[in-house]
Amino acid sequence: MEPNAIADDLVLRRDEGPVALLTLNRPKALNALNQPLLQRLAERLRELAVDSNVRVVVLTGSGEKAFVAGADIAEMADYDVATAQHFALAGQNVLNHIATLGKPMIAAVNGFALGGGCELMLACDFAIASQRAKFGLPEVTLGVIPGFGGTQRLARLIGRHNALRWILTGDVHGADEALRLGLVTQLVEPEQLLPVALEIAQRIATRGPLAMLAAKQVVDQGWDVPLADGLRKEAAAFGKLFRTQDQKEGMAAFMQKRPAKFTGN
Ligand code: DAK
């Protein structure tokens, strides 16, 4: 065990009832993603996936400057092909974990979200940001391209031309631009970022967990298929929820004018 295990933990976890707050914790390197940080994040996600007390996850960065300033350039600089592939797999592993977590994950972007940090944010279900946050995919300035899904997710989210403007220039963009293009859903004063993110998360946590899971799955599965196919998936998922206790409870609670108590069954 390292001398100061909590301070040295690369991904801090704090639970507030059904909401888990994960804080990426390498502030001196602007929370850049190195292999140990990615591994710790993967461990945290595995932990959360099987923790039935946790219904919603918020992801943020430690310190005032950065959410994540990208993959760790110092670590990557001397990679050989095998190590670069290992790093790529570790990153893909984390993003797959987020995609299959089965619980909503909200990014609370407190500062720089660059390169792999911007891509990590894009893999979350949605993001809110501090007015001081900055965004970009500067990989081409380093002679590489985004490798954690940025070329795919950004283009789907903001359209081909906007995505290519970001990716080809490698420019850093302000929070207003990110809001305008729909990368983030809301901007708040820096000190309000976590309170607002946690309040949204708490509200989501009162909703039916199986319905949330189904909604996420259908949105993701429908992302890339013809509308008619997406609508079929939606209808099938809608129907299946009528097998659940949560559906009975949610509708009974409405009719009895009381808050629903969802169990995830
Ligand atoms: N990696 C390592 N260290 C970083 C870092 C990074 N990405 N970003 C910042 N740091 C470190 C700085 O080196 C500095 O360390 P010390 O010198 O104090 O030891 C410390 O954090 C503070 O940074 P600065 O002194 O530079 O702070 P400033 O306020 O002056 O500037 C900045 C902030 C964010 C504008 C600047 O730090 C910066 O430009 N950082 C690099 C941003 C960047 O280019 N990010 C993209 C990285 S490339 C792949 C998967 C993913 C990727 C690629 C492939 N595969 C699956 C194949 C992803 C690639 C990337 O993300």
Side-chain angles (χ1 to χ4, degrees):
M1 174 83 63
E2 293 175 36
N4 188 351
I6 292 182
D8 290 346
D9 194 337
L10 288 168
V11 183
L12 303 169
R13 172 176 167 182
R14 189 181 91 211
D15 287 10
E16 292 187 4
V19 173
L21 173 66
L22 292 186
T23 304
L24 304 168
N25 187 33
R26 272 190 89 203
K28 286 188 183 145
L30 305 189
N31 305 318
L33 303 171
N34 61 5
Q35 303 228 28
L37 176 54
L38 283 174
Q39 265 169 25
R40 186 69 181 125
L41 181 54
E43 278 169 21
R44 286 297 196 195
L45 293 169
R46 272 195 294 273
E47 207 178 279
L48 293 170
V50 295
D51 187 336
S52 56
N53 295 320
V54 173
R55 296 217 172 152
V56 183
V57 182
V58 175
L59 181 68
T60 194
S62 174
E64 289 186 354
K65 272 181 82 171
F67 175 69
V68 171
D72 189 309
I73 300 168
E75 190 187 77
M76 275 194 302
D78 297 323
Y79 278 174
D80 56 21
V81 172
T83 320
Q85 283 174 352
H86 180 76
F87 177 70
L89 288 174
Q92 286 171 9
N93 194 14
V94 165
L95 294 193
N96 287 341
H97 268 305
I98 294 176
T100 56
L101 186 62
K103 307 178 190 209
M105 187 149 164
I106 305 168
V109 183
N110 52 310
F112 288 110
L114 300 179
C118 188
E119 296 172 290
L120 189 58
M121 174 197 89
L122 289 170
C124 291
D125 293 312
F126 63 92
I128 72 167
S130 145
Q131 279 156 350
R132 280 211 293 259
K134 299 224 179 305
F135 304 81
L137 290 171
E139 283 86 348
V140 290
T141 68
L142 301 165
V144 290
I145 64 168
F148 288 165
T151 59
Q152 304 306 303
R153 288 199 178 87
L154 189 67
R156 283 168 173 74
L157 196 61
I158 69 176
R160 179 177 186 273
H161 285 187
N162 278 314
L164 281 171
R165 182 167 62 89
W166 278 42
I167 292 167
L168 297 179
T169 63
D171 285 349
V172 174
H173 305 270
D176 288 339
E177 167 91 340
L179 180 68
R180 186 178 70 78
L181 292 174
L183 254 83
V184 300
T185 57
Q186 184 177 353
L187 298 183
V188 293
E189 295 290 339
E191 60 283 2
Q192 283 304 309
L193 180 66
L194 280 186
V196 170
L198 291 169
E199 184 275 317
I200 296 171
Q202 290 291 352
R203 196 144 32 90
I204 292 175
T206 65
R207 313 312 195 209
L210 296 174
M212 289 194 294
L213 177 59
K216 270 183 60 156
Q217 285 173 340
V218 173
V219 168
D220 287 341
Q221 290 166 1
W223 187 256
D224 237 0
V225 300
L227 180 64
D229 294 350
L231 289 172
R232 262 193 297 278
K233 289 177 194 299
E234 183 186 81
F238 181 82
K240 277 190 199 154
L241 288 167
F242 282 73
R243 274 194 215 127
T244 68
Q245 288 170 16
D246 280 357
Q247 175 268 326
K248 313 272 175 270
E249 163 63 10
M251 294 190 179
F254 174 80
M255 288 184 295
Q256 293 160 15
K257 302 190 187 301
R258 61 172 174 83
K261 278 200 188 122
F262 293 113
T263 58
N265 293 302

